[in-house]
Amino acid sequence: MEVEVISRERIKPSSPTPSHLKTHKISLLDQLFPPVHVPLVFFYLNTQTTSPIPDVISKTSVSLKQSLAKTLTLFYPFAGKIKDHLSVDCNDEGVYYVEAPVDNNLSEFLSKPDVRLTQHFLPHDQSMDQMYPTGISLVMIQVNFFKCGGMALGMYCCHRIIDGHTCITFVRAWAETAQGSGTEVIPRFVPCNSLFPQNPSLPKDSTLLMWPSMFNQSKYVTRRFLFDASALNSLKAKVASSSSFVPTRVEALLGLIWKCAISASKSRFGFQRPSVLSLAVSLRSKFFPPPSQFAMGNLLWSAVAQSKADTGTELHRLVRNLRDATSKINGGFVRGIQGGEGFSKVTECLKELRELYSNEGANYYACTSTCNLGMYDADFGWGKPIWVTLGGNEDPMVMNLIYLLDTRSGGGIEAWVNLSEEDMAEFERDHELLAFTSLDPSPLHINTPSSHTVCARM
């Protein structure tokens, strides 16, 4: 499969950003996130069967650019660049935007997707290679047109100020604008800054304390696993049969993945090592009164669960550990880290994390989830995406990361797991894991509409 970039440009806001909004100050919570770019790829079928494919591609290209320009007037920081570790220069320079034809049909790629190839659908800017970049775009987009008229919309969003909720809100607003009916989304960038005021004295390496497993020099491999709704219901029932509570589908699945990762490590080393799992928890539902659903920025905190070397790793026990860890991130916790006094609470939490992550003999894992964020609602006027997935990533520093996404069918979860080569060799053949999952299935077989045959034509 060949993907050749044929155009590069900057899409600027259709209206200039007011002078009083030219500098966006990031929040204290934003300071805790690294300036890494998170990849997502949205795949769309060509449903315009009565039009010639060149006309479909041309019309789609114009619509995407015009609607993006309008959307950026609302999401004005996204059209700027990182100024320094405390602010974004909202200079209206524009979003880095690339178009590329693909010498293949979408159905051919989706029939047997290769996670390593999805990185070809993503844009690349050399400044992304820096650990603490300044002058880098916050959002970068690559639109890939298949021979059949289908499309892969690949994008990078900088985690410095964009969490999963913010990213999906942006894409949905862009899609609504493309349909011509306008968008009801009115993003608000100020609340996070006022609730969690930035503090220049926060050490720049604090991200290493919040997300330690992300930065590692070992060689790793990534695998994609699908857990359908039926499997997740069975998994939840299995946990509930040995517990006093019924877990959520994310809790049950994450418990299983953690259990199998611990088992893989034990097979590799010959003994059970202590294990720590951090999970990004949304704070949006923890506020009272709740903030606007359109509050933008990182409203996340890391819940940390532990499994000691001398304790059991039964599934219900690990899920209980996860439930106990996330329950600590409640309304009282959120109130404690707000305002000017919140900085002392944050530094106290970071100190505790530093101690927790000081054991060199332990395994550290991190999980982030975009489940329940409505990724599949992004309809630009030609139907909802057939598949939304994480773009392939070859960053050598990222390891032991678990990324959870909804499936199109509803109720299922797609898990991208990366581990060391040695651990993955054991992990992917774990019998308990294989009882609930399938490895790299075709998205065409997950509640697919009959129109997928459109992209088989030449």
Side-chain angles (χ1 to χ4, degrees):
M1 183 184 71
E2 183 176 347
V3 182
E4 180 183 3
V5 173
I6 59 173
S7 69
R8 294 181 176 88
E9 60 184 301
R10 294 274 176 181
I11 304 298
K12 301 181 179 182
S14 57
S15 299
T17 299
S19 58
H20 69 284
L21 297 176
K22 285 293 186 179
T23 298
H24 171 67
K25 293 183 178 181
I26 71 173
S27 73
L28 178 62
L29 296 184
D30 290 331
Q31 286 181 257
L32 296 173
F33 286 82
V36 297
H37 285 74
V38 179
L40 278 178
V41 184
F42 297 73
F43 291 88
Y44 291 89
L45 302 172
N46 175 16
T47 57
Q48 303 175 62
T49 58
T50 59
S51 302
I53 291 177
D55 292 349
V56 171
I57 293 176
S58 177
K59 181 180 177 181
T60 299
S61 175
V62 171
S63 174
L64 286 174
K65 293 178 184 180
Q66 291 180 345
S67 56
L68 177 58
K70 293 178 181 178
T71 306
L72 289 174
T73 62
L74 299 174
F75 291 82
Y76 57 92
F78 295 4
K81 290 189 173 183
I82 294 178
K83 183 177 182 179
D84 50 44
H85 70 288
L86 293 175
S87 62
V88 173
D89 183 7
C90 306
N91 57 11
D92 291 345
E93 185 171 320
V95 164
Y96 180 67
Y97 190 92
V98 174
E99 286 191 352
V102 184
D103 69 339
N104 207 337
N105 291 314
L106 179 56
S107 62
E108 293 177 42
F109 175 77
L110 294 181
S111 64
K112 192 174 179 60
D114 186 335
V115 297
R116 296 168 299 179
L117 295 180
T118 55
Q119 64 181 335
H120 296 301
F121 301 132
L122 294 162
H124 183 75
D125 186 342
Q126 291 182 350
S127 59
M128 290 174 62
D129 300 330
Q130 305 174 49
M131 181 56 198
Y132 289 100
T134 57
I136 188 174
S137 301
L138 279 90
V139 175
M140 291 173 280
I141 296 168
Q142 180 169 318
V143 180
N144 308 271
F145 291 108
F146 289 81
K147 290 167 58 178
C148 59
M151 183 185 73
L153 177 61
M155 64 187 305
Y156 277 118
C157 288
C158 184
H159 214 328
R160 177 59 100 185
I161 69 165
I162 304 174
D163 65 3
H165 176 92
T166 302
C167 174
I168 300 305
T169 300
F170 167 68
V171 175
R172 292 174 64 179
W174 180 14
E176 291 172 2
T177 303
Q179 291 196 47
S181 57
T183 177
E184 297 180 356
V185 175
I186 306 296
R188 301 185 182 278
F189 292 93
V190 176
C192 290
N193 303 335
S194 58
L195 290 171
F196 307 100
Q198 65 178 221
N199 194 309
S201 63
L202 184 74
K204 292 182 180 180
D205 65 353
S206 297
T207 57
L208 298 176
L209 297 177
M210 288 290 286
W211 317 105
S213 75
M214 289 182 62
F215 304 97
N216 195 298
Q217 295 301 320
S218 299
K219 191 172 183 180
Y220 76 91
V221 291
T222 302
R223 295 287 185 268
R224 168 180 163 259
F225 301 89
L226 178 72
F227 301 82
D228 62 26
S230 176
L232 291 176
N233 287 334
S234 298
L235 190 59
K236 289 170 59 179
K238 181 177 181 179
V239 175
S241 66
S242 302
S243 306
S244 59
F245 68 98
V246 178
T248 66
R249 60 186 181 131
V250 169
E251 288 174 331
L253 174 55
L254 193 51
L256 175 65
I257 293 175
W258 190 16
K259 183 179 188 298
C260 296
I262 292 174
S263 177
S265 174
K266 185 176 181 179
S267 296
R268 175 185 174 189
F269 291 101
F271 60 92
Q272 184 174 316
R273 290 157 58 101
S275 181
V276 178
L277 173 60
S278 61
L279 170 64
V281 176
S282 174
L283 304 181
R284 286 178 166 82
S285 63
K286 315 298 181 183
F287 287 87
F288 186 82
S292 166
Q293 63 173 314
F294 302 132
M296 302 290 99
N298 285 297
L299 284 173
L300 300 170
W301 191 266
S302 178
V304 182
Q306 302 180 64
S307 177
K308 298 181 180 180
D310 58 352
T311 58
T313 58
E314 297 87 357
L315 180 59
H316 70 274
R317 185 191 298 270
L318 294 177
V319 175
R320 177 81 262 179
N321 290 351
L322 286 169
R323 172 66 66 90
D324 291 344
T326 56
S327 65
K328 295 176 182 177
I329 314 301
N330 52 29
F333 174 83
V334 173
R335 288 191 296 272
I337 62 174
Q338 287 184 45
E341 300 299 320
F343 180 69
S344 61
K345 176 64 175 177
V346 168
T347 54
E348 177 185 329
C349 292
L350 292 177
K351 181 180 179 181
E352 294 175 357
L353 290 175
R354 185 184 298 275
E355 296 175 354
L356 179 63
Y357 293 137
S358 62
N359 185 355
E360 295 183 359
N363 291 330
Y364 299 101
Y365 306 94
C367 174
T368 185
S369 169
T370 57
C371 292
N372 303 315
L373 294 183
M375 292 192 304
Y376 283 88
D377 292 334
D379 182 352
F380 287 83
W382 48 81
K384 296 182 179 182
I386 184 68
W387 189 34
V388 182
T389 193
L390 189 67
N393 195 329
E394 292 187 339
D395 188 342
M397 294 193 304
V398 179
M399 192 180 79
N400 288 0
L401 180 63
I402 303 159
Y403 201 108
L404 305 181
L405 310 94
D406 282 324
T407 60
R408 183 178 184 275
S409 59
I413 294 178
E414 180 177 307
W416 285 54
V417 180
N418 64 34
L419 301 169
S420 68
E421 290 182 330
E422 298 83 359
D423 281 2
M424 183 59 79
E426 298 293 335
F427 180 87
E428 64 182 350
R429 64 185 184 190
D430 188 293
H431 292 296
E432 186 171 6
L433 178 74
L434 295 177
F436 294 96
T437 189
S438 54
L439 177 63
D440 273 341
S442 169
L444 296 176
H445 301 152
I446 307 172
N447 193 27
T448 307
S450 58
S451 59
H452 82 262
T453 55
V454 169
C455 277
R457 70 182 188 180
M458 301 299 291

